[in-house]
Structures are given as structure tokens and as C-alpha cells.
Amino acid sequence: MPLTITETQAVAEIRRVLDARLAALRTKDAERFVAHYATDVVKFDLAPPLANTGPDVRDVAGWDSWFATWSGPIWQEILEFAATVAAEAGIAYCHGLVNLRGEKIGEGTVDMWFRSTWCLGRIDGRWRITHEHNSTPFYMDGSYRAATDLVPREGEVDSI
């Protein structure tokens, strides 16, 4: 059965899903944060391992443990959000540049940019994240060090 929403409505709904996740992250609410993932989600994240799937990604205790490593709120924002939606098929993919900021216990201030891509499916009338990929570039100078000190250049985000 085709969906009865327009692409514009779907993009607005998807943005609300991502904004709700950001709000849950800021308040360290693991239950609300993982609620937006599909049960069979696949996630490629910044931290090891190379890939996580459904139960690992949706593990509330794991997220609570990670949240406990931050001394205050975790701030995250998405710039240059773009989405392509096949509303009738119930699929979408989105991308943006993400800024993560906060204070890590024993490590100090974190303020880093990375790239994110989300794929979503319309499941039981709601958009759920079925695939998430977060990445940071690395320096190809032989150090292979993650380039966590990058910030978008003027005009760079406008061209995405």
C-alpha cells in the first residue's frame, strides 16, 4: 500500500526523528535515544568495532555507560542536513556534518566535527533508522591519525 505522505512531509518527519535523538543525547536519555533505531539496524560508528547491529546498537545499558563518561550535557548539532526520500517506497537517506561537544570525565573538552549518513525506513507508520554511518577523515601523512581537529571551511558546507 503506498504511503499517503508527500516527500516534504516525510523530510519534516525524518528531521523530527533526528532532532528527537539529539534531544535525547543532550539529556543522556538512552531509552529515548535508541527508540529511533529499527530492530535490525546496522551502525558504523566512530568507536570500534567496525560495525554494530541491532541488539548492540539498541543496548540501553551500553549507551548509559557511555553517557556516564560525560560530566555534563552532550551537545550535538547537524549542519547542512540533506535528505532524499522515496516517500511511496518508505525509504530515505540523509547526510550532514555533525558537531559533538561536551566535557569528558578525565579527558577535558571534546569539540569535534564528523560526517554522518542515515538511512531510514518507514516501519509501522514511523520512520526508523535502519543504517547509520559516522566517520572522520584521517591524516594520510603516514601518521594515520584521526582528523578530529577539522572544522567546516567557509563555503564548504554550502556546497554539500
Side-chain angles (χ1 to χ4, degrees):
M1 171 191 301
L3 297 176
T4 58
I5 62 171
T6 67
E7 183 175 343
T8 301
Q9 290 169 320
V11 170
E13 288 177 9
I14 289 164
R15 186 60 207 224
R16 282 193 294 274
V17 167
L18 296 177
D19 286 345
R21 286 184 67 233
L22 293 176
L25 181 76
R26 290 177 188 135
T27 60
K28 302 180 188 177
D29 185 336
E31 293 270 348
R32 279 185 30 228
F33 186 77
V34 302
H36 301 284
Y37 287 118
T39 56
D40 59 349
V41 63
V42 175
K43 184 172 183 174
F44 302 115
D45 216 344
L46 300 174
L50 289 173
N52 283 303
T53 58
D56 293 328
V57 175
R58 296 173 50 88
D59 177 33
V60 171
W63 283 104
D64 279 336
S65 293
W66 185 72
F67 289 158
T69 66
W70 296 80
S71 62
I74 304 166
W75 182 261
Q76 195 175 72
E77 65 180 318
I78 302 168
L79 292 185
E80 292 305 313
F81 173 78
T84 300
V85 178
E88 288 190 23
I91 57 172
Y93 65 91
C94 322
H95 60 81
L97 298 177
V98 178
N99 182 222
L100 174 68
R101 297 186 309 272
E103 294 291 326
K104 290 283 283 182
I105 296 171
E107 296 177 33
T109 301
V110 171
D111 186 353
M112 67 177 282
W113 286 90
F114 57 93
R115 307 165 291 201
S116 289
T117 302
W118 304 272
C119 298
L120 296 93
R122 188 121 170 134
I123 301 167
D124 297 328
R126 295 181 58 200
W127 290 102
R128 301 267 186 201
I129 298 167
T130 58
H131 177 91
E132 181 175 0
H133 187 132
N134 298 310
S135 67
T136 185
F138 67 91
Y139 290 104
M140 298 183 71
D141 59 2
S143 71
Y144 302 107
R145 192 173 45 90
T148 59
D149 58 338
L150 297 179
V151 296
R153 293 183 304 238
E154 186 174 328
E156 180 176 35
V157 293
D158 294 335
S159 65
I160 293 176

